[in-house]
Amino acid sequence: MTIRVLLVDDQPLLRTGFRLILEAEPDITVVGQAGDGKAAQEQTRALLPDVVLMDIRMPGVDGIEATRRIVREAAPSAHVPKVLVLTTFDLDEYIVEALRSGASGFLLKDVPPDELVQAIRVVAAGDAIVAPSVTRRLLDRFATRLPSAYEQAAPARLDRLTERELEVLRLIAKGMSNAEIAAKLVVSETTVKTHVGNVLTKLGLRDRVQAVVLAYETGLITPGALS
């Protein structure tokens, strides 16, 4: 299956560079380009890309708002594009807001070409490219300063989980893999995968990254909590 990618960046040279890298791959095609968030939303609607490679800082509608609009607009449909956010700075506080807005992960703009290509494949397959441990470090640094999108609704959402599912969510939020969770709970990885799937389904979350964000926003995990 060919992965259809939309490039969004206000710098034409960067878009050209990304396009050259991606179109050298047999399973990736660049279907369009946009220089700002408003154009990105319009191009997404018209071209139906599988992955939107989204810059954060752009004039007019920035990448965070564009991500929010794209995900919200596509949510009721069968085709929901994955947004992979690009940033110039590591541990940029805007990354947390991008994840909250529905992005499936983030990369630095100086990422090696092979990592960029692999990230697009991972996101297109429905997974998140941000490791939960990296997400946790971001949230540890910024969660106390950023407004919560779920302050009122999230506690009620957690009531949908069983005690074991809550426990699994806590361990996901601490950056543990399925294998590590299985060892911790003395169960099989298959059982853990089932619990993780139930957590995501019951909470209406797309992936583990959103699960980590929600765990922090609800107070299930607090910044700096490692035990």
Side-chain angles (χ1 to χ4, degrees):
M1 182 185 71
T2 300
I3 302 170
R4 296 164 54 82
V5 177
L6 173 66
L7 301 177
V8 184
D9 196 295
D10 63 335
Q11 299 182 48
L13 283 177
L14 277 178
R15 295 201 306 269
T16 299
F18 288 139
R19 182 168 199 144
L20 290 173
I21 291 170
L22 298 180
E23 293 204 325
E25 301 297 320
D27 59 336
I28 297 176
T29 183
V30 175
V31 296
Q33 301 184 42
D36 59 63
K38 184 175 183 296
Q41 184 183 12
E42 294 170 351
Q43 292 271 48
T44 299
R45 188 185 302 124
L47 301 173
L48 299 178
D50 300 304
V51 176
V52 179
L53 201 59
M54 179 78 75
D55 185 23
I56 284 186
R57 295 171 177 172
M58 296 181 292
V61 178
D62 65 16
I64 293 173
E65 178 59 26
T67 297
R68 184 178 295 113
R69 293 180 184 182
I70 287 170
V71 172
R72 183 175 59 225
E73 182 174 292
S77 69
H79 182 84
V80 181
K82 307 297 184 182
V83 180
L84 186 57
V85 169
L86 296 173
T87 182
T88 304
F89 303 103
D90 195 6
L91 294 180
D92 188 327
E93 63 187 271
Y94 292 108
I95 293 300
V96 182
E97 283 303 311
L99 295 175
R100 285 174 172 166
S101 299
S104 293
F106 78 93
L107 292 172
L108 298 181
K109 283 189 175 181
D110 61 357
V111 63
D114 59 332
E115 291 185 21
L116 172 65
V117 170
Q118 181 59 23
I120 288 174
R121 289 177 179 141
V122 168
V123 169
D127 206 347
I129 198 59
V130 186
S133 58
V134 175
T135 309
R136 189 188 68 231
R137 290 201 301 272
L138 282 166
L139 291 166
D140 279 350
R141 179 168 178 177
F142 298 114
T144 57
R145 295 194 282 127
L146 292 172
S148 171
Y150 299 107
E151 284 177 347
Q152 302 302 320
R157 295 170 74 188
L158 291 184
D159 288 343
R160 306 170 190 172
L161 303 183
T162 65
E163 284 300 318
R164 176 47 62 95
E165 288 164 355
L166 274 173
E167 190 173 13
V168 168
L169 177 55
R170 288 190 188 95
L171 298 178
I172 291 172
K174 291 177 181 179
M176 296 178 71
S177 66
N178 284 355
E180 291 169 333
I181 295 173
K184 173 79 172 178
L185 301 181
V186 195
V187 297
S188 69
E189 281 193 58
T190 300
T191 298
V192 172
K193 288 179 182 178
T194 299
H195 287 316
V196 172
N198 289 341
V199 168
L200 298 181
T201 299
K202 289 183 178 181
L203 298 180
L205 304 175
R206 190 177 56 254
D207 51 44
R208 294 170 76 106
V209 171
Q210 289 193 333
V212 175
V213 173
L214 182 64
Y216 271 78
E217 291 179 323
T218 59
L220 190 65
I221 292 291
T222 56
L226 299 177
S227 61

